[in-house]
Amino acid sequence: MEKVVVIGGKGKVGTYLVPLLCRAGYRVTNVSRGNREAYIPDPCWQEVEQVALNRETPDFPAQIAALRPDVVVDMICFRSEDMLRLMDALEGQVRHYLVTGSVWMHGPSVEVPYGEDMARNPMDTYGTQKHLMDLALQRCYATKGFPGTA
């Protein structure tokens, strides 16, 4: 059974994602700063390992790698340098690293649907960082084969 580490799994999206992963047969570890309850209660949370870590600590990437995940779903990464440090710690260990992107990295839509291959014009610092993260993931896959997706 594969182990999935979800960073920030008790947020709005993670509240739905974590139980889905449990029901699909994964061993799930949720990493959060504190012990806040999930937005929506679910019996599956009883099966989830809870680990309290703070992304702002320098050894956060090593702490995540020490959990020995097969897959990492990173719901709360907002800076490309943080993502790259974590990817360095996970290289050669994970089958996949999935970091949450954002429509903000595309900027205002001039046509709908807006394809991922269309020109990007990020709207603000948040969108710019998500765009840089996506570019870094593409570069790491192209140069090292790192299994990452935004």
Side-chain angles (χ1 to χ4, degrees):
M1 180 182 336
E2 285 193 307
K3 181 176 185 178
V4 178
V5 170
V6 180
I7 304 170
K10 286 193 177 174
K12 291 180 177 133
V13 175
T15 290
Y16 295 95
L17 174 65
V18 169
L20 286 172
L21 290 168
C22 287
R23 284 188 193 92
Y26 294 98
R27 284 183 303 128
V28 181
T29 298
N30 175 61
V31 175
S32 298
R33 286 182 300 206
N35 53 4
R36 181 181 81 174
E37 293 297 315
Y39 283 94
I40 297 175
D42 190 295
C44 286
W45 283 101
Q46 300 301 315
E47 302 170 31
V48 176
E49 177 187 17
Q50 301 294 328
V51 175
L53 297 175
N54 187 335
R55 177 172 226 121
E56 300 302 318
T57 60
D59 59 342
F60 180 80
Q63 291 172 319
I64 295 296
L67 295 172
R68 311 303 297 166
D70 297 299
V71 176
V72 173
V73 179
D74 194 344
M75 305 292 293
I76 58 165
C77 190
F78 306 110
R79 295 186 303 243
S80 59
E81 60 270 15
D82 293 340
M83 181 193 74
L84 289 167
R85 282 190 5 256
L86 181 55
M87 287 169 55
D88 283 345
L90 297 173
E91 190 169 354
Q93 177 180 329
V94 295
R95 284 190 345 97
H96 203 88
Y97 171 72
L98 177 68
V99 64
T100 304
S102 172
V103 297
W104 290 94
M105 70 183 176
H106 295 281
S109 299
V110 292
E111 60 183 272
V112 177
Y114 196 84
E116 289 191 36
D117 58 340
M118 297 174 80
R120 294 183 181 176
N121 185 21
M123 297 176 78
D124 56 13
T125 302
Y126 174 78
T128 299
Q129 281 299 313
K130 291 293 187 174
H131 176 61
L132 292 172
M133 290 164 59
D134 186 48
L135 294 175
L137 277 168
Q138 291 178 44
R139 188 172 47 255
C140 287
Y141 177 75
T143 60
K144 300 190 271 184
F146 184 85
T149 305

